[in-house]
Amino acid sequence: MREFLSGLDWSPLYISLKTGLAATVISFFLGIIAARKVMNCSGRVKAVLDGILTLPMVLPPTVSGFILLLIFSKRRTVGIFLKEQFGIVAVQTWLGCVIAAGVIAFPLMYRSARAAFEQIDPNLVFAGRTLGMPEREIFRRVVLPAAAPGLASGTVLTFARAMGEYGATSMLAGNIPGKTGTVSQRIAMVIQNGDYVTAGFWTAVVLVIAFLIVVLINLIAGKNTRQTRRW
Amino acid sequence: MRLNAEIKKVLKDFTLDIRIDTSASRIGILGPSGSGKSMTLRCIAGIETPDCGRISLDEKVLYDSGSRVFLKPQQRNVGYMFQNYALFPTMTVLQNLECGARGSRTEKRERALEMLSRMKLDGLEKRFPSELSGGQQQRTALGRILAGKPELILLDEPYSALDPNLVDRLQREMEEILKDYHGQVIMVSHNRDDLYRFSEEIFIVREGSVLCHDRTKNLFDDPRSLEAAKITGCKNFSRIRRIDAHRLEASDWGIKLEVDRPVPESVRFVGYRAHYLKPVWGGRKRNCMKFCCAFVDDMLFEKKYYCIPETGCTDQDKLVSWFVQAVTQEMLEKRGMPDYLEFEQERILLLE
């Protein structure tokens, strides 16, 4: 066992955690901004915008991955532009991992944030306005605290999804050990090589992390509803 | 202070078209649920935008579609008390009060502490709204509004979501607190009793427009139109045929009535409040109606008799309601049911 652990390449864990963290931070802010914008749209515009923003969640990750690959390809307009103007390369890089994981996990943050904002009593915001509080202060001191449980569970969910992303990541970022090789990609790879012990080890790691995350969400959600109704 | 509001707004079920021009300091807006009362308040506060119109407080224009003025709610200095108080649940009482105050951080704190003692909330400053009683919540909400020294206060159905046992006490508290407030206050309610005791002047609103308005006492004494009389709580109505200046025939009651005032040609209906019917035993007097009781609702301190009028018509909505309170009820028990019900002439409402 000790021999196995000492010989193990731990990089997939670091890469996964790092990717998950970066993608979550980006999704957190973009998700909140998008949720606010979409909430203020009306009728049809709202339905269409919401559809576009939710799409990555319902599409097969390989489809999202392929679309991302087309966009960021070094031989196409956007990819060339990004590389020449900003030196940004997404294909086969860690940045690609973050983009793929971010795009796939973003809808979870966006939808959680919207749900959290929509359940806030609008009168609280109106009260803030009639009391003369600036909009920014209302958002910071009234809206965010009231939406906190929903935002927190959305963030944890986003992190979990981003960390475990496989399909889109493997298409955009590839599986370069030590660079873009995440845990889920490592598992797929070692299984192909018949190395069930390593696959089992990483599976156990993922299981433990996933379980902790779900428990964490339940604890966050449970804090606000002290008495859960049973039936 | 003079509030002048002209609000037009197309809503789902009707078009809001309200005109309010008054310098009364306690104003009531009475109307059934969904008649556009709350929407009117929201437009005045700036939470909703009218389609067109003009709202001004003294010289200050809050909204004017003509010259494209729209002050944000933050700039209007109009306090709004929501039915559920809308206290910020994640803030303490003191923090809630601070949110209403203006100025620097220390000024806000000072003002909040001042409101805390004025609202008799001492010792509760660290509590959260969910840890307060209904009365304490109302005082916090009022204190938060008064902390900003508003020029106008809007009360949106303040008592309708409350436990009936609490209402009387909270009404007295509210009156007590607002006694020192010299600006205008508008209270919106569907409850005529709440407004009767609160307002100097009442606007009756129905399906988005003002049906009539007057000093409170006048309005209840003489609502002038059938719709307004219904909203003020009058239960009995009859179509009429005018005989001469002081006499008319109430065709739905099957009797002739004499009225102390001259009856204008435009009068189409008479109304009579259910509590004012007077039992008469023995001989028939002026304005008496022979009746027969169809059914009785037995309330705790009151009996509601529903009587078939002299026409003999048994339609449910043609029955005459007669509400009898304890003292008269004792008399009824002693003397038996009366032979007639009298419509006292000075209490007859002449309606168009």
Side-chain angles (χ1 to χ4, degrees):
Chain A
M1 187 64 188
R2 176 171 292 177
E3 214 172 296
F4 170 77
L5 285 179
S6 63
L8 189 75
D9 174 15
W10 286 93
S11 74
L13 185 61
Y14 299 134
I15 293 170
S16 281
L17 287 175
K18 223 166 56 173
T19 306
L21 220 57
T24 306
V25 170
I26 296 168
S27 299
F28 178 79
F29 290 105
L30 291 182
I32 286 178
I33 293 168
R36 281 296 300 134
K37 295 277 182 234
V38 171
M39 259 180 82
N40 284 342
C41 293
S42 53
R44 240 171 270 170
V45 183
K46 191 176 187 169
V48 172
L49 268 181
D50 183 76
I52 294 171
L53 294 174
T54 308
L55 216 49
M57 199 167 87
V58 283
L59 286 177
T62 44
V63 172
S64 307
F66 182 60
I67 295 171
L68 286 174
L69 192 56
L70 286 182
I71 293 173
F72 288 103
S73 160
K74 279 178 268 188
R75 271 175 248 120
R76 285 172 189 278
T77 343
V78 179
I80 293 169
F81 175 80
L82 286 175
K83 190 178 178 191
E84 285 180 355
Q85 293 297 312
F86 307 105
I88 293 173
V89 181
V91 179
Q92 305 279 325
T93 62
W94 180 68
L95 181 68
C97 284
V98 176
I99 291 175
V103 166
I104 298 295
F106 166 84
L108 286 171
M109 188 62 216
Y110 153 72
R111 292 192 79 85
S112 306
R114 221 184 97 189
F117 289 149
E118 278 173 348
Q119 56 86 33
I120 290 178
D121 177 6
N123 283 349
L124 291 180
V125 177
F126 296 149
R129 289 187 185 149
T130 56
L131 290 169
M133 292 166 76
E135 293 294 332
R136 202 175 282 180
E137 194 187 335
I138 295 175
F139 189 70
R140 192 170 52 80
R141 295 189 59 199
V142 179
V143 174
L144 282 184
L151 293 179
S153 71
T155 309
V156 178
L157 216 56
T158 305
F159 177 72
R161 184 72 186 86
M163 206 189 111
E165 217 298 306
Y166 172 74
T169 311
S170 70
M171 299 201 64
L172 185 66
N175 182 11
I176 305 165
K179 199 173 160 204
T180 64
T182 58
V183 172
S184 10
Q185 299 200 82
R186 174 59 56 95
I187 292 172
M189 193 178 82
V190 292
I191 286 177
Q192 271 180 347
N193 299 345
D195 182 358
Y196 279 37
V197 178
T198 314
F201 171 75
W202 285 118
T203 302
V205 170
V206 170
L207 269 174
V208 168
I209 294 177
F211 179 71
L212 288 179
I213 284 175
V214 174
V215 170
L216 187 61
I217 292 174
N218 287 342
L219 288 178
I220 294 170
K223 232 167 85 179
N224 266 51
T225 45
R226 255 171 245 139
Q227 263 189 320
T228 325
R229 275 184 279 180
R230 295 160 199 268
W231 51 274
Chain B
M1 284 305 262
R2 183 193 187 92
L3 169 72
N4 190 333
E6 221 188 289
I7 298 165
K8 283 207 176 111
K9 187 175 173 69
V10 178
L11 302 176
K12 211 166 54 190
D13 299 328
F14 55 83
T15 299
L16 192 68
D17 183 2
I18 297 274
R19 270 158 213 270
I20 290 174
D21 183 6
T22 174
S23 33
S25 67
R26 297 292 178 266
I27 303 152
I29 299 182
L30 176 63
S33 313
S35 56
K37 301 168 301 207
S38 289
M39 185 55 84
T40 305
L41 286 199
R42 286 167 171 259
C43 288
I44 294 173
I47 299 169
E48 297 275 352
T49 318
D51 294 338
C52 64
R54 189 173 189 282
I55 302 169
S56 65
L57 250 183
D58 281 338
E59 300 304 310
K60 185 175 165 189
V61 178
L62 305 182
Y63 168 77
D64 188 348
S65 56
S67 53
R68 292 177 180 273
V69 178
F70 179 83
L71 290 193
K72 292 200 180 105
Q74 281 94 335
Q75 302 164 308
R76 296 196 180 196
N77 205 12
V78 170
Y80 196 115
M81 191 159 100
F82 294 86
Q83 194 180 348
N84 59 1
Y85 305 131
L87 296 171
F88 302 136
T90 52
M91 293 187 206
T92 63
V93 168
L94 191 64
Q95 286 169 327
N96 265 287
L97 292 172
E98 279 173 349
C99 285
R102 285 154 211 257
S104 71
R105 187 167 281 198
T106 41
E107 281 167 343
K108 282 185 178 179
R109 171 56 58 96
E110 267 172 33
R111 182 79 179 142
L113 288 169
E114 185 194 330
M115 294 320 294
L116 198 70
S117 67
R118 247 181 76 189
M119 296 297 129
K120 303 196 182 71
L121 290 165
D122 312 81
L124 301 174
E125 57 266 34
K126 293 217 173 66
R127 296 267 192 100
F128 287 95
S130 59
E131 302 165 337
L132 298 177
S133 73
Q136 292 162 346
Q137 288 184 13
Q138 176 179 284
R139 295 206 297 275
T140 309
L142 270 174
R144 191 174 69 169
I145 289 168
L146 289 168
K149 300 182 177 146
E151 291 165 48
L152 171 67
I153 295 180
L154 310 172
L155 307 171
D156 188 358
E157 299 268 10
Y159 312 121
S160 46
L162 291 176
D163 183 336
N165 293 319
L166 262 177
V167 173
D168 287 340
R169 218 192 70 220
L170 291 198
Q171 267 176 336
R172 254 175 285 126
E173 273 188 19
M174 171 98 78
E175 278 161 20
E176 191 65 29
I177 291 167
L178 289 178
K179 217 159 57 186
D180 308 330
Y181 176 74
H182 299 296
Q184 284 182 300
V185 185
I186 305 182
M187 185 192 286
V188 148
S189 178
H190 61 257
N191 184 321
R192 45 193 168 263
D193 290 324
D194 294 350
L195 290 181
Y196 186 79
R197 64 184 284 177
F198 174 83
S199 348
E200 286 165 35
E201 190 173 339
I202 287 187
F203 290 75
I204 292 184
V205 171
R206 192 175 155 271
E207 285 184 357
S209 44
V210 176
L211 214 55
C212 60
H213 67 97
D214 205 338
R215 303 250 122 201
T216 304
K217 187 81 175 57
N218 297 349
L219 196 77
F220 279 87
D221 287 348
D222 180 14
R224 291 188 290 272
S225 73
L226 180 68
E227 292 299 338
K230 279 182 185 165
I231 293 172
T232 64
C234 184
K235 293 277 183 288
N236 301 315
F237 300 97
S238 166
R239 287 166 291 182
I240 63 150
R241 196 176 61 78
R242 188 171 175 276
I243 299 169
D244 58 40
H246 288 277
R247 290 191 304 158
L248 49 84
E249 189 186 323
S251 46
D252 289 317
W253 299 335
I255 52 169
K256 291 195 173 67
L257 292 173
E258 278 179 41
V259 189
D260 54 345
R261 295 147 283 169
V263 179
E265 300 266 4
S266 56
V267 169
R268 295 277 169 277
F269 302 91
V270 286
Y272 202 85
R273 295 189 189 278
H275 283 105
Y276 290 159
L277 283 165
K278 211 172 122 187
V280 173
W281 287 269
R284 184 165 196 146
K285 294 200 292 185
R286 192 175 54 189
N287 290 356
C288 273
M289 181 185 78
K290 222 177 156 63
F291 73 102
C292 170
C293 188
F295 57 95
V296 186
D297 275 347
D298 212 349
M299 319 290 280
L300 188 51
F301 298 113
E302 185 176 68
K303 279 197 179 192
K304 297 185 171 178
Y305 294 91
Y306 296 91
C307 310
I308 300 167
E310 205 161 314
T311 54
C313 175
T314 54
D315 279 2
Q316 284 286 324
D317 53 342
K318 293 275 161 54
L319 294 180
V320 173
S321 311
W322 175 34
F323 297 169
V324 176
Q325 297 196 309
V327 182
T328 320
Q329 184 57 38
E330 276 169 26
M331 204 155 68
L332 291 187
E333 269 152 32
K334 234 185 300 167
R335 301 183 59 178
M337 279 306 260
D339 303 301
Y340 299 100
L341 289 176
E342 186 192 341
F343 295 82
E344 292 183 292
Q345 50 174 333
E346 64 278 8
R347 292 193 149 148
I348 293 171
L349 306 177
L350 300 174
L351 307 168
E352 285 170 18

